[in-house]
């Protein structure tokens, strides 16, 4: 079983739509959680850390459910520039080791 | 503020050869992690260096080795290259420790080195 699993998509949504991605992880001892975005043939860029209480950054909201071992990302009012692959990342204790999901592709259409 | 840099950007090698990839971390960062990303996959953790020591290692064979220098820059070495080693190699830097605070674990990636093995 993979450490981190994501629906690969693609999610094709119109501009202005709300879209949600989920990600599950297998190790209950995981300590840190992140969402990164990766544009085609570019490096991953940190989108946001995910905290136990949930957190929001503008149009983006991240939630963590430790009991069910999943992480979610909600994007409101989608923009064309949100088109990218979204990577879910789970880190071990002391941030020594990180596991990336395979990514979920989002296409926002005009 | 200089971000993470990697060199070279592209490399073509023949099966059986050896390769060295280089990474300079973001200014102020002391921890470097290396990842391999195959096409259509997420990055796979190779290892992490902190204080010039390999602190953690992923599921990669001993053909993959690394080094961290006193200035925190790092090298990734791959021996006896296989066709399956063709991938994008990413370096990520982070802060291993912040006096008085817990480290955040947030990583910043370089643009990567695209290695092709023929």
């Amino acid at each position: 079983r993979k450490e981190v699993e994501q629906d690969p998509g693609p999610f094709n949504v119109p501009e202005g739509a709300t879209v949600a991605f989920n990600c599950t992880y297998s190790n209950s001892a995981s300590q840190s959680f992140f969402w990164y975005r990766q544009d085609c043939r570019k490096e991953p860029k940190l989108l946001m850390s995910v905290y136990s209480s949930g957190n929001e950054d503008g149009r983006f909201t991240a939630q963590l459910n430790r009991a069910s071992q999943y992480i979610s990302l909600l994007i409101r009012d989608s923009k064309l520039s949100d088109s990218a692959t979204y990577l879910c990342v789970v880190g071990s204790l002391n941030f020594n080791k990180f596991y990336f999901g395979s990514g979920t592709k989002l296409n926002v259409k005009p | 503020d200089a971000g993470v840099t990697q060199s070279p950007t592209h490399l073509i090698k023949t099966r059986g050869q050896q390769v060295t990839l280089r990474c300079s971390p973001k200014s102020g960062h002391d921890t470097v992690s290396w990842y391999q990303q195959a096409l259509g996959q997420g990055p796979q953790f190779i290892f992490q260096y902190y204080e010039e020591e390999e602190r953690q290692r992923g599921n990669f064979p001993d053909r993959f080795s690394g080094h961290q220098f006193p200035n925190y820059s790092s090298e990734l070495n791959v021996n006896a290259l296989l066709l399956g080693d063709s991938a994008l190699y990413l370096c990520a830097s982070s802060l291993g420790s912040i006096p008085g605070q817990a480290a955040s674990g947030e990583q910043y990636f370089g643009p990567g080195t695209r290695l092709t093995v023929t």
Side-chain angles (χ1 to χ4, degrees):
Chain A
R1 183 184 171 186
K2 288 185 179 179
E3 295 280 345
V4 179
E5 303 222 40
Q6 292 182 252
D7 180 345
F11 284 61
N12 298 308
V13 303
E15 269 188 293
T18 295
V19 62
F21 308 135
N22 286 332
C23 155
T24 59
Y25 61 95
S26 61
N27 187 348
S28 60
S30 299
Q31 293 291 318
S32 58
F33 309 89
F34 308 90
W35 283 101
Y36 282 74
R37 78 169 270 166
Q38 186 171 27
D39 294 289
C40 189
R41 301 186 73 80
K42 296 284 194 181
E43 73 273 20
K45 291 189 191 300
L46 178 67
L47 182 64
M48 56 198 305
S49 302
V50 186
Y51 303 119
S52 297
S53 54
N55 47 301
E56 187 175 305
D57 183 2
R59 298 181 294 109
F60 299 86
T61 301
Q63 297 278 352
L64 167 63
N65 185 320
R66 282 189 185 270
S68 301
Q69 293 179 212
Y70 80 80
I71 308 148
S72 64
L73 177 68
L74 182 78
I75 305 176
R76 288 181 299 278
D77 188 23
S78 297
K79 312 287 185 197
L80 294 177
S81 57
D82 293 334
S83 295
T85 295
Y86 290 82
L87 297 162
C88 173
V89 184
V90 173
S92 66
L93 187 63
N94 296 326
F95 314 105
N96 291 348
K97 198 168 182 178
F98 296 89
Y99 297 96
F100 280 70
S102 295
T104 298
K105 188 167 175 55
L106 172 65
N107 294 318
V108 181
K109 309 285 190 182
Chain B
D1 181 17
V4 181
T5 60
Q6 291 187 245
S7 63
T9 52
H10 294 84
L11 204 50
I12 299 175
K13 288 286 189 177
T14 304
R15 195 171 43 182
Q17 286 188 313
Q18 177 265 344
V19 68
T20 297
L21 311 181
R22 295 176 176 81
C23 169
S24 289
K26 180 177 163 69
S27 178
H29 282 184
D30 57 6
T31 302
V32 172
S33 301
W34 286 94
Y35 293 85
Q36 179 194 67
Q37 187 174 25
L39 209 58
Q41 299 295 317
Q44 298 294 307
F45 178 83
I46 302 175
F47 40 53
Q48 184 183 86
Y49 277 85
Y50 172 69
E51 292 188 338
E52 302 178 51
E53 301 263 334
E54 184 183 289
R55 190 156 70 167
Q56 190 65 268
R57 189 177 183 93
N59 190 24
F60 279 81
D62 291 345
R63 297 187 297 110
F64 289 77
S65 63
H67 190 78
Q68 186 178 34
F69 300 93
N71 67 353
Y72 307 122
S73 67
S74 178
E75 287 182 351
L76 164 66
N77 301 294
V78 187
N79 294 325
L81 285 166
L82 303 174
L83 296 180
D85 294 332
S86 295
L88 179 67
Y89 287 84
L90 294 160
C91 164
S93 76
S94 55
L95 260 178
S97 62
I98 305 171
Q101 300 178 41
S104 72
E106 295 175 352
Q107 298 180 87
Y108 295 84
F109 283 83
T113 294
R114 193 163 296 279
L115 172 66
T116 302
V117 182
T118 62

